[in-house]
Amino acid sequence: MKQIKNKFLTSKEINRVIISERIKKKYIALGYSIEEIYFSKIKTLVVGLIISSIILVGSIYLYSNINDINNIDYLNPKYLIFLFLSIYLLRLLHELIKYICFGLFCKEHYRSVELYFIKHFIPHSICLEELNKFEYIFCLIMPLLILGLVPIIISINHNMFVMFILGLFGIVECSIDFYSIIKIVNTRSRYTMYLKHPSEPGLIIMKKNI
């Protein structure tokens, strides 16, 4: 392992650092300025939970006003076990969707995307190539649409409570991505590329100097 900024990096993280340094040098040569943004874990969590809570409250309000929820057996053990297992499955699907989307936009496709498991068997995906604003936001927002908003809309219209709960969990899974989306949207430069930071929560932003 190698230590950078008081943090020991694994061999894979070191490889990601090497790749990111190569990309940064390429864009510096093209006249881009480089900005590295580090995300505060607390701020990322707070922003994500606020946005998620707004969506959750609105969704629950709509469902409860359109459908009858009085006869639902919330404490059924089979029901609770199913929901518990679904949380992990949704997390896996969340990262798999991002993995597929990243691969579609990368020049090297899936050779430039990693899907792996961190501590406690938590799945995680990372893109090793730079993407433009539309591509990066598309990849981050697709899990929200596929696992969150679409199931909620369908469940509200067809009174499917289990799908509704899964949709709520799908939105919560996306909470950590909301902060990244906000940072990308707020970038004003027209000619900008984005790269996931190789070893820290954050982004490497490459802006064209015009």
Side-chain angles (χ1 to χ4, degrees), residues 67-155:
N67 301 290
D68 182 16
I69 61 174
N70 294 322
N71 297 322
I72 297 174
D73 184 8
Y74 300 100
L75 300 180
N76 187 313
K78 293 181 180 179
Y79 177 68
L80 295 176
I81 292 173
F82 169 77
L83 291 179
F84 178 78
L85 294 175
S86 298
I87 294 175
Y88 182 81
L89 179 59
L90 285 169
R91 177 65 182 178
L92 180 60
L93 290 174
H94 175 99
E95 295 300 327
L96 184 59
I97 291 170
K98 288 203 293 186
Y99 173 84
I100 293 172
C101 292
F102 283 140
L104 292 175
F105 290 116
C106 287
K107 295 176 183 178
E108 297 293 327
H109 298 293
Y110 296 101
R111 286 178 290 183
S112 294
V113 188
E114 294 181 2
L115 180 64
Y116 59 98
F117 294 86
I118 54 180
K119 57 185 178 180
H120 307 306
F121 301 101
I122 299 175
H124 188 68
S125 61
I126 184 171
C127 180
L128 304 179
E129 285 189 23
E130 70 279 14
L131 302 176
N132 63 35
K133 178 178 287 188
F134 168 79
E135 293 168 341
Y136 215 114
I137 291 177
F138 179 89
C139 294
L140 294 180
I141 209 168
M142 283 308 293
L144 172 66
L145 295 177
I146 296 174
L147 301 178
L149 296 182
V150 170
I152 284 177
I153 292 172
I154 293 174
S155 64

Side-chain angles (χ1 to χ4, degrees), residues 37-81:
I37 298 179
Y38 299 94
F39 296 165
S40 163
K41 292 182 179 180
I42 295 178
K43 187 179 293 185
T44 301
L45 181 61
V46 170
V47 171
L49 289 178
I50 290 174
I51 297 175
S52 297
S53 298
I54 293 172
I55 300 175
L56 293 179
V57 170
S59 300
I60 293 171
Y61 175 80
L62 287 174
Y63 191 94
S64 61
N65 278 272
I66 295 175
N67 301 290
D68 182 16
I69 61 174
N70 294 322
N71 297 322
I72 297 174
D73 184 8
Y74 300 100
L75 300 180
N76 187 313
K78 293 181 180 179
Y79 177 68
L80 295 176
I81 292 173

